[in-house]
Amino acid sequence: MKAKLLLLAISCAVLSLLPCAYAQPTGHDSRALASFRNALDQDGFDVRTGQSMSLDMWQQYCNGVTSSAKYNNKGAPYLTAAVPHLPGDTTVIPYAFQLRPDEAMVLIGVTPPPETYFSYQPFLTNKFYAQPVPVELLTAPIQGCGGDPHCLDVGSSLGDTVNVATIKTLGPGPYNAPMVLIFTPDKGTDARVRSALLKAGYPASILNTIVIPVSLANLGIGPGHDVLMLLGRNAMWLNGAAGEAAGLAYLASLNTANSPISVFRVTPKTFSVAGLDPFPAPELRVRGTGKTEMSLMGKLDEIRESVIGKYTEMGYVVAAEYTSAPGSYDGYDFIQQMKRAFLDCRDTIYVGAGAESFPDRYDIRLTDDEFMVVYGVNHTATGKASYMNLNAYAKPSQLAIGSVFDTDFVHSADAYLDAGDPAASSMFAYKVSWQCGGEDFCLQMSSGDCSRLQLDGPEHAADRANTPLAFGTRSYLEPGTSVGPAFTEVVYHRMIKFSRP
């Protein structure tokens, strides 16, 4: 840590005579921030201060704020930003906003403590199309669109993230490190914001521009213009309990005056169509390395045979078998198809069954006497992902009711393959049930403290049996590409439902 602070101090001295904003732990050097704002004011910008936020979509649903949990796991809040709205923007959600095509949102601060994954990305929440959205594509009531038939709450990403593997910062690693994020559609605004940052003492090496493509978003203020939001994801804090505590403290501090992230809305004082110089839609990182998991496909059949043998000997019967499939392509695909993306991300792939975004028609339900065995390839063990998790969801709320990670998969498939089979370390087999009874490698589904959807306890046995379910995996960030793996290079998991005769 001393060496890192020394590096930052030297960088400050070399790169600028002005105070260095990232020398303080919170990234809140008041003199540098004031210098940044002053430089923008002199260049013809209004600068409005926003507030970073910790946004828990799971809790938002349970509190009755939203109509869907959007498949977000409990205890996994996003970083977002509440930004001041311009006159004419009637968006009521504080972290959603409309944007002029000459503006920028700027986040200045420090990255999270050590974790397996983090990222930052703009999202298109409400999209206004030139043609009416077909009624059959409106699979849920229009939310936040004011009943406009041209509007869909698509919830789609806008290109690649800036993530743990790609972020520009200083230090020996990407954690607890200085950063500046510039979200803008315009080249000229980006250049002027960067100039102001450099004048304020922020080095070019920590400046990250994230483009909002004007060809995909109908930018402007007022009716008929799209609505945006900014999100940061965090997953799998490192360094044990102490590391998790540090990570949760970082997220909790986002809602305070001592937040590690400062938020600014930068608006030219005079709007000029002739002065616009929009970025083109940026190139995307390419998924895939050519290396596949297909040599492990036969192991699924071996595990299936062993799983069925085990539980039929225990008196169960196979009630159904399910295949899984890709449930989400890139956000651009959702925008074009007029389909809800539920806050997708190019840094991962979603594979599963039962959810609206999966191309199946399975109606999956489990009574207390039934259970599912999910088996497949551990994509982290094969090097196709930095982390992977298996998730259970209750529909139609899209509420996560259980999750396990690749670290929980270790040895879960050993009993279903021959002793000493080297493939065992690359496979997993996990039971999912309403009743685990402390059994190893069993995910017990629960609605926890969500009062809006209560499924726990003997009095809710009928509710559990009648709740349609979805199961899916997320596999984030292939190390060789800094983006999610290619669907065609991984083996999809499968599922077996067991019942009593």
Side-chain angles (χ1 to χ4, degrees), residues 294-438:
M294 298 306 143
S295 61
L296 295 171
M297 181 77 80
K299 295 299 174 181
L300 293 185
D301 295 332
E302 293 181 37
I303 292 176
R304 174 185 178 274
E305 183 178 355
S306 295
V307 167
I308 292 175
K310 171 183 176 178
Y311 288 108
T312 53
E313 286 185 5
M314 296 171 63
Y316 292 94
V317 297
V318 175
E321 294 193 65
Y322 307 98
T323 58
S324 59
S328 174
Y329 295 93
D330 293 346
Y332 294 169
D333 183 66
F334 283 98
I335 293 172
Q336 295 186 81
Q337 292 192 60
M338 296 184 179
K339 290 186 177 180
R340 290 183 173 86
F342 303 107
L343 305 178
D344 68 289
C345 179
R346 291 199 78 244
D347 286 348
T348 188
I349 55 173
Y350 308 88
V351 177
E356 296 91 326
S357 57
F358 296 128
D360 62 58
R361 297 294 183 269
Y362 295 139
D363 182 7
I364 306 174
R365 302 167 195 252
L366 295 176
T367 68
D368 286 355
D369 292 330
E370 297 175 317
F371 59 89
M372 190 82 73
V373 174
V374 184
Y375 60 103
V377 175
N378 180 346
H379 305 315
T380 305
T382 63
K384 300 303 289 183
S386 297
Y387 85 90
M388 174 186 181
N389 59 13
L390 167 64
N391 310 282
Y393 305 98
K395 300 190 304 182
S397 63
Q398 299 145 6
L399 186 78
I401 53 175
S403 181
V404 289
F405 286 80
D406 57 83
T407 49
D408 302 302
F409 292 162
V410 179
H411 299 305
S412 64
D414 290 3
Y416 302 113
L417 293 171
D418 292 338
D421 189 334
S425 61
S426 298
M427 311 299 292
F428 75 92
Y430 229 85
K431 184 177 178 180
V432 185
S433 174
W434 293 115
Q435 314 289 338
C436 280

Side-chain angles (χ1 to χ4, degrees), residues 21-148:
Y22 53 86
Q24 295 188 12
T26 61
H28 278 223
D29 186 305
S30 59
R31 291 178 299 169
L33 293 176
S35 178
F36 167 61
R37 299 186 60 156
N38 183 60
L40 286 174
D41 179 70
Q42 292 180 359
D43 193 22
F45 287 92
D46 287 323
V47 183
R48 298 171 177 84
T49 302
Q51 174 66 51
S52 62
M53 293 176 58
S54 175
L55 174 63
D56 190 332
M57 296 296 293
W58 194 94
Q59 199 62 54
Q60 290 259 306
Y61 168 80
C62 293
N63 291 343
V65 177
T66 61
S67 61
S68 163
K70 296 186 183 295
Y71 300 107
N72 281 257
N73 286 345
K74 182 180 181 181
Y78 291 108
L79 176 153
T80 190
V83 300
H85 291 170
L86 296 188
D89 183 351
T90 58
T91 307
V92 296
I93 300 174
Y95 51 83
F97 57 90
Q98 293 180 320
L99 187 75
R100 277 175 24 183
D102 60 346
E103 289 188 283
M105 299 294 178
V106 183
L107 276 58
I108 302 175
V110 294
T111 58
E115 57 182 330
T116 301
Y117 174 82
F118 67 78
S119 68
Y120 307 97
Q121 187 169 34
F123 284 82
L124 189 60
T125 60
N126 294 340
K127 170 68 178 173
F128 284 85
Y129 292 90
Q131 72 272 34
V133 177
V135 174
E136 62 270 20
L137 297 181
L138 295 174
T139 55
I142 298 176
Q143 303 168 23
C145 287
D148 192 318

